[in-house]
Structure formats: structure tokens, C-alpha cells
Amino acid sequence: QVQLVESGGGLVQAGGSLRLSCAASGSIFSMGWYRQAPGKQRELVASITNGGSTNYGDSVKGRFTISRDNAKNTVYLQMNSLKPEDTAVYYCRAEGRTMYLSTIYYWGQGTQVTVSS
């Protein structure tokens, strides 16, 4: 069973930066970050495959960067030029495999990011 431990959330002023980390136990393939703001549905922030291919939500392109350290089974999200609309609970997601090689997803507990104006 895979467990995800998230860290790095906090309170920052608009224009500031935060770096989120998500450490996974067990065998992991693609990883990503999702967020859910008050009154809004959960949305993709960024994802990265085990090969390093990345994908970003339109609202964070040019400001956020996702990266990973495969040796540590850890994914990072560098968030720059933060805006109040980035305020949300950020969830780490990891893709794993079952004994039969089917896909299974694991979720972290979430970390709060609050950006003040």
C-alpha cells in the first residue's frame, strides 16, 4: 500500500512563493497535484510522468513548476508569483499498480495553501 506525505503548505502574501513536497512509499509511476478551493471543484494543477513529461493547468502555466526525484519517490511543486486565487487545499496524487498491473491511485491528505492580498 502506498502512502503519501505532503508538506510545504502555508500562508504567504500575493507574489510570494511556496514549495510543496510529496513523498511516497512503495512503487510509484506518474504523480500530480490537484487543488480544491472553497466553492469550487477539484482541478488539476500539474502532473508528471515517471519519464518526466509534465502537464499543467492553464491557470498556473508559467508560474508553477512540477518536478520529481524518482530515487526518493518524491514530487515537488514550486509555486511562484502566487495569487489569492491560488488559495486552496492542495492534494498529491500518485499512480500505482496492483498485483495484476492495473492502475490504482493514491491520495495525500492535502495541505492548505493560503495567499493573502
Side-chain angles (χ1 to χ4, degrees), residues 17-97:
S17 298
L18 283 174
R19 187 179 188 238
L20 305 184
S21 298
C22 177
S25 63
S27 182
I28 290 299
F29 296 88
S30 67
M31 301 183 75
W33 291 94
Y34 292 75
R35 69 186 183 187
Q36 187 162 23
K40 297 183 179 180
Q41 62 186 35
R42 186 177 293 110
E43 65 176 350
L44 171 71
V45 177
S47 64
I48 185 168
T49 68
N50 54 318
S53 179
T54 60
N55 185 45
Y56 295 92
D58 289 338
S59 63
V60 306
K61 289 180 179 177
R63 299 188 298 120
F64 292 8
T65 302
I66 189 171
S67 61
R68 67 187 296 165
D69 184 337
N70 289 337
K72 296 181 178 180
N73 265 3
T74 300
V75 65
Y76 306 94
L77 184 68
Q78 179 66 46
M79 304 185 293
N80 298 326
S81 301
L82 283 162
K83 305 175 181 179
E85 50 262 46
D86 294 318
T87 296
V89 177
Y90 284 69
Y91 298 92
C92 179
R93 191 186 78 168
E95 177 189 355
R97 294 288 185 272

